[in-house]
Amino acid sequence: MRALVLLVSLACFAGAQHQALIDYLERRLLAIEDRITLWHEQTNRYASELRELKQQMVAQLENLDKEKETLRGNLDGVGARVDRVERELDYMETQNGAQPCVDVDDKLVEQQVTQVKEKNKAKYSKLSDCSEMISSIKAMKILKKLGGPKGMWTKDVSSRSGKVYVLNGTDDGTVYEFSSMQEFTSSPGVSLAKTLNLPSVWKGTGHLVYDHRLYYVRERLTVVKYDLRNASVADSVVFPAEDHVPVYGLTPETVVDLAVDEEGLWAIYATRQNDRHISLAKMDANTMDIEQMWDTACPKENAEAAFVICGTLYVVYNTPQPGRSRVQCVFDVNGMVSNDEAPLIYFPKRYGAHSSLKYNPHEQLLYAWDDGYQIVYRLVMKPKLEV
């Protein structure tokens, strides 16, 4: 009987423990469910806040895009106003050109009306079939950046060889020869060039290559004709200019600037006797003799370079702080173009400074050295009688 009571008691005790365990597990499950519910609520709240933040960021980005477009429009407006101001300044410059280019002193007028001048003018009018002048500069192409701020580069203007020559600096004796324009533009520096060592050092940037010969100016105003084919000096003469001075106010290293056009070889120079103006001489390329000399009314001050086309001298001016180059003075040896009738020609906007400008009559191109950049300008021509 006692055993039966004991078994019943044990069974009741075990049942109570099992119920307690079940109750405990139910409470734990309820607690877990509460935590899961809380996690879901927090997750939904975080997701909602994240969506709201995303919407705010999208709105802010849209506002930034609108402000960016507004700012871009304002900048375009400012750029247009700046361009308009530059055009107005250019117009003012055309209306208020340098007076020394226009004013001709009495002495020069008397020289131009003398019988000798008239005869020589008639002589050149008969000999020359070239009657074109610059109308405008059509295009500019920057081909390379090579060397220092001053130098000269060109092609042989009288041959079809296509060779390109580079003379870097204003006081050196090394010439770099490229076989073609493509080799010049593709060469890293002067690595593909043939190096030519001259027997003397050149001065300034007034050199040129004409009919397989390099013409350059060395010390004591000596013009040297160097044959590039056999690497020897073909001839040399002392340029007959007394009391010579630098020909360009902004390129003082150049004393004589040699040029070639459709009529042959020219020399641009300056002396104290011409009262701070530029002079022009026609040279015989074979004998190196001076055929004729002219005094012009183009001032040296603020001139940076010059070139000759069809017997007309074009002088390019700038400012001491490099600005926009312009042809502001011309002189025609045949009297077909007067300075006050010639158009004022501006070079494409670069705000640099030309240390040399070399005209190629076969291509009607200007080869320019602008602050270490090698540039080609394409010209538009017109008859002189249309001035």
Side-chain angles (χ1 to χ4, degrees):
M1 189 67 181
R2 290 180 179 178
L4 181 60
V5 172
L6 180 61
L7 289 173
V8 171
S9 300
L10 290 174
C12 292
F13 180 75
Q17 285 185 338
H18 184 265
Q19 185 63 39
L21 180 59
I22 290 174
D23 292 341
Y24 172 76
L25 292 174
E26 287 180 352
R27 290 193 301 271
R28 295 298 298 172
L29 289 173
L30 289 173
I32 291 173
E33 288 178 356
D34 292 340
R35 291 183 179 180
I36 291 175
T37 300
L38 179 62
W39 179 77
H40 278 297
E41 293 176 354
Q42 292 177 344
T43 301
N44 291 333
R45 186 172 67 253
Y46 293 153
S48 177
E49 293 177 354
L50 183 61
R51 284 194 297 271
E52 292 178 358
L53 178 61
K54 181 179 179 181
Q55 292 174 355
Q56 292 176 1
M57 292 181 65
V58 170
Q60 291 291 337
L61 289 175
E62 291 177 354
N63 291 333
L64 288 175
D65 289 337
K66 293 179 181 179
E67 293 179 359
K68 179 181 177 181
E69 292 299 326
T70 302
L71 181 60
R72 181 177 296 173
N74 293 336
L75 289 177
D76 292 339
V78 171
R81 288 194 293 271
V82 170
D83 290 338
R84 185 165 60 251
V85 170
E86 287 183 346
R87 289 194 298 270
E88 291 175 355
L89 289 175
D90 292 345
Y91 175 78
M92 292 176 63
E93 289 181 353
T94 62
Q95 300 301 312
N96 299 282
Q99 294 301 320
C101 267
V102 180
D103 295 336
V104 182
D105 57 18
D106 295 337
K107 180 180 178 181
L108 184 58
V109 173
E110 292 175 359
Q111 291 175 348
Q112 290 177 337
V113 298
T114 58
Q115 184 178 5
V116 176
K117 291 293 183 179
E118 292 297 330
K119 289 182 178 180
N120 285 325
K121 185 169 65 177
K123 168 188 173 183
Y124 276 94
S125 298
K126 293 178 181 179
L127 293 178
S128 175
D129 295 329
C130 184
S131 59
E132 289 187 321
M133 65 174 295
I134 298 179
S135 173
S136 62
I137 297 176
K138 182 178 181 180
M140 174 187 75
K141 186 175 183 180
I142 301 175
L143 297 180
K144 197 180 183 70
K145 189 178 191 306
L146 171 67
K150 293 185 178 182
M152 189 282 301
W153 80 293
T154 186
K155 293 172 67 175
D156 189 337
V157 297
S158 67
S159 70
R160 302 295 181 179
S161 67
K163 291 183 179 180
V164 177
Y165 297 89
V166 175
L167 286 78
N168 180 30
T170 59
D171 187 356
D172 203 337
T174 303
V175 179
Y176 299 102
E177 179 186 87
F178 296 87
S179 61
S180 64
M181 186 64 73
Q182 181 179 0
E183 183 180 79
F184 170 72
T185 56
S186 62
S187 173
V190 295
S191 59
L192 300 181
K194 176 183 177 181
T195 301
L196 307 175
N197 294 314
L198 301 178
S200 56
V201 175
W202 75 69
K203 299 292 183 181
T205 60
H207 339 292
L208 62 87
V209 179
Y210 181 54
D211 194 18
H212 304 288
R213 294 175 176 86
L214 169 66
Y215 293 79
Y216 68 95
V217 181
R218 62 178 176 87
E219 60 183 359
R220 298 180 181 177
L221 210 63
T222 302
V223 180
V224 180
K225 179 168 64 174
Y226 183 81
D227 195 320
L228 295 168
R229 290 171 295 187
N230 55 29
S232 63
V233 175
D235 198 358
S236 65
V237 296
V238 177
F239 191 79
E242 297 181 357
D243 295 329
H244 63 273
V245 293
V247 61
Y248 307 124
L250 298 182
T251 312
E253 300 87 354
T254 300
V255 179
V256 175
D257 191 5
L258 302 173
V260 167
D261 72 344
E262 294 80 358
E263 300 182 4
L265 181 63
W266 303 81
I268 308 165
Y269 66 101
T271 64
R272 291 187 177 90
Q273 287 78 7
N274 194 21
D275 192 25
R276 302 184 299 277
H277 291 80
I278 294 174
S279 298
L280 180 67
K282 183 68 176 68
M283 297 182 66
D284 187 310
N286 295 320
T287 64
M288 305 280 283
D289 293 336
I290 302 297
E291 297 179 350
Q292 188 174 348
M293 289 180 166
W294 295 265
D295 292 333
T296 79
C298 298
K300 299 184 327 78
E301 184 179 3
N302 292 332
E304 64 178 12
F307 53 93
V308 181
I309 298 178
C310 288
T312 302
L313 173 68
Y314 297 83
V315 184
V316 180
Y317 293 86
N318 209 315
T319 55
Q321 296 297 326
R324 192 173 179 185
S325 300
R326 60 199 179 277
V327 176
Q328 194 171 316
C329 188
V330 300
F331 174 80
D332 186 69
V333 299
N334 297 318
M336 298 176 66
V337 180
S338 63
N339 186 71
D340 54 349
E341 295 175 342
L344 180 63
I345 300 172
Y346 277 86
F347 283 78
K349 192 181 302 180
R350 270 190 53 79
Y351 297 104
H354 298 108
S355 62
S356 66
L357 288 167
K358 297 301 172 181
Y359 173 64
N360 189 310
H362 299 293
E363 303 171 329
Q364 291 190 336
L365 298 176
L366 278 179
Y367 288 77
W369 191 292
D370 184 346
D371 198 23
Y373 289 90
Q374 288 72 51
I375 301 175
V376 171
Y377 295 107
R378 185 169 296 278
L379 306 176
V380 178
M381 312 300 290
K382 68 177 182 178
K384 292 181 180 180
L385 297 178
E386 292 184 2
V387 176

